[in-house]
């Protein structure tokens, strides 16, 4: 199996959850992978267990100089980009009455500004016929308490992806988004909430999913493989839900 043979893929947020599962799958499918994450120590730890042709690049997606360096290191090492998977993101639930400027800036800087500026840096180096993928979320399709700014950030990214789809069409670059429902990843432990509150929230999400459970990172990674590969050669501009049906009923 080598659906991505010799393809060069950048994955942000690659040291954990969905990004890490996708990095492993892309490597298995023959891609050369640039794994990017905010902490070098975490990148070093996961690198020990990976096999294949890859490099790690520390980059905080909210910092433009880091994004410029991420693209430079990729091009210096592999010469081009075929797949840009903009997956890094954070979610911190806060009721609308408690939203602060700091909360807003943190979420939007990472979830919206980062991907948009990385695309700008990467586009001159993406091969014609390449693929840009965003990890979005189903949260902008329904109202989930506490996720006001997070949902707004994912809605903004969805709107941006439509414009990007149009602006790169002459180069045959496909732009698609993945909208996961609740997926079992370390994300929930980073929400600055007590563990019992997170557990209750998780039970509520699982009960709302028609399939009655959380998804796995590997299930999302399979979708990221499909959308980036030639199997999805006529799929462009969409947002594909990987949510056990949560967004549909
Ligand atoms: P995760 O916490 O395991 O992974 C998030 C990754 O983003 C981590 O590698 C983290 O280091 C990275 N990251 C965070 N801030 C960063 C920054 N400033 N610069 C660079 N990297 C940064 O969680 P996950 O669930 O795998 O999340 C991946 C994506 O999936 C996110 O965009 C998230 O919004 C989205 N998502 C997750 C779920 C879910 O239920 N887990 C549902 C819908 C969407």
């Amino acid at each position: 199996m080598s659906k991505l043979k010799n393809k060069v893929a950048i994955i942000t947020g690659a040291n954990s959850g969905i990004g890490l599962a996708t990095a492993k799958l892309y490597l298995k499918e023959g891609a050369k992978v640039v794994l990017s994450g905010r902490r070098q120590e975490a990148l070093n730890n996961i690198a020990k267990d990976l096999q294949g042709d890859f490099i790690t690049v520390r980059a905080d997606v909210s910092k433009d100089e880091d994004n410029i360096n991420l693209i430079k290191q990729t091009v210096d090492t592999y010469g081009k980009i075929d797949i840009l998977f903009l997956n890094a993101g954070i979610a911190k639930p806060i009721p609308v009455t408690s939203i602060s400027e700091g909360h807003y800036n943190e979420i939007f800087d990472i979830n919206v500004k980062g991907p948009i500026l990385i695309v700008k840096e990467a586009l001159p180096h993406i091969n014609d016929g390449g693929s840009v993928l965003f990890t979005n979320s189903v949260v902008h399709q329904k109202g989930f308490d506490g996720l006001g700014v997070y949902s707004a950030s994912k809605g903004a990214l969805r709107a941006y992806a439509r414009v990007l789809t149009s602006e790169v069409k002459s180069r045959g670059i496909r732009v698609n988004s993945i909208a996961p429902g609740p997926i079992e990843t370390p994300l929930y432990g980073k929400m600055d909430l007590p563990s019992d509150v997170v557990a209750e929230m998780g039970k509520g999400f699982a009960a709302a999913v028609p399939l009655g459970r959380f998804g796995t990172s590997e299930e999302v990674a399979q979708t990221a493989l499909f959308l980036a590969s030639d199997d999805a050669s006529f799929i462009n501009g969409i947002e594909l839900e990987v949510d056990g049906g949560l967004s549909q009923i």
Side-chain angles (χ1 to χ4, degrees):
M1 296 225 295
S2 49
K3 290 188 175 197
L4 302 180
K5 195 168 171 46
N6 291 328
K7 301 282 187 198
V8 176
I10 297 178
I11 303 176
T12 66
N15 55 14
S16 178
I18 293 166
L20 178 56
T22 305
K24 288 178 179 166
L25 188 58
Y26 278 14
L27 284 167
K28 202 170 135 200
E29 294 290 341
K32 301 169 186 191
V33 179
V34 179
L35 294 98
S36 175
R38 189 161 37 174
R39 289 181 307 117
Q40 189 61 50
E41 194 190 346
L43 289 167
N44 292 344
N45 278 338
I46 55 134
K48 289 180 206 151
D49 298 326
L50 293 177
Q51 278 161 7
D53 191 348
F54 70 90
I55 59 168
T56 63
V57 180
R58 197 210 62 77
D60 179 337
V61 298
S62 68
K63 298 204 166 87
D64 211 20
E65 63 271 24
D66 286 10
N67 296 329
I68 291 168
N69 181 50
L70 169 62
I71 302 306
K72 184 179 181 314
Q73 288 211 40
T74 302
V75 173
D76 286 351
T77 308
Y78 293 123
K80 58 164 189 166
I81 303 164
D82 297 293
I83 300 161
L84 181 63
F85 183 24
L86 297 161
N87 165 75
I90 57 166
K92 294 191 178 173
I94 292 185
V96 290
T97 47
S98 304
I99 290 168
S100 64
E101 191 179 358
H103 170 74
Y104 173 89
N105 285 340
E106 185 185 15
I107 301 266
F108 265 74
D109 280 358
I110 293 172
N111 292 5
V112 184
K113 185 182 84 174
I116 288 175
L117 292 180
I118 295 174
V119 166
K120 188 193 83 175
E121 292 305 322
L123 267 182
H125 307 285
I126 298 180
N127 282 328
D128 289 1
S131 180
V132 179
L133 270 184
F134 296 95
T135 305
N136 220 9
S137 172
V138 295
V139 293
H140 70 92
Q141 301 183 24
K142 282 185 166 185
F144 294 95
D145 287 7
L147 294 180
V149 177
Y150 178 67
S151 304
S153 76
K154 295 297 189 179
L157 203 56
R158 176 70 186 117
Y160 167 79
R162 289 183 194 279
V163 175
L164 181 64
T165 307
S166 181
E167 290 198 9
V168 299
K169 63 179 185 286
S170 63
R171 296 181 51 199
I173 296 173
R174 294 182 299 110
V175 179
N176 290 301
S177 304
I178 299 170
I183 308 297
E184 204 170 326
T185 72
L187 183 91
Y188 292 87
K190 302 173 188 170
M191 287 181 163
D192 296 339
L193 292 173
S195 54
D196 56 326
V197 174
V198 174
E200 266 320 293
M201 190 171 70
K203 276 188 211 157
F205 281 149
V209 173
L211 292 181
R213 63 170 175 89
F214 271 54
T216 66
S217 294
E218 288 72 25
E219 287 172 311
V220 184
Q222 289 291 348
T223 309
L225 170 62
F226 168 66
L227 288 174
S229 75
D230 288 345
D231 288 347
S233 54
F234 203 50
I235 297 179
N236 190 19
I238 68 155
E239 180 173 74
L240 182 52
E241 291 89 1
V242 186
D243 67 346
L246 174 64
S247 58
Q248 304 304 315
I249 65 170

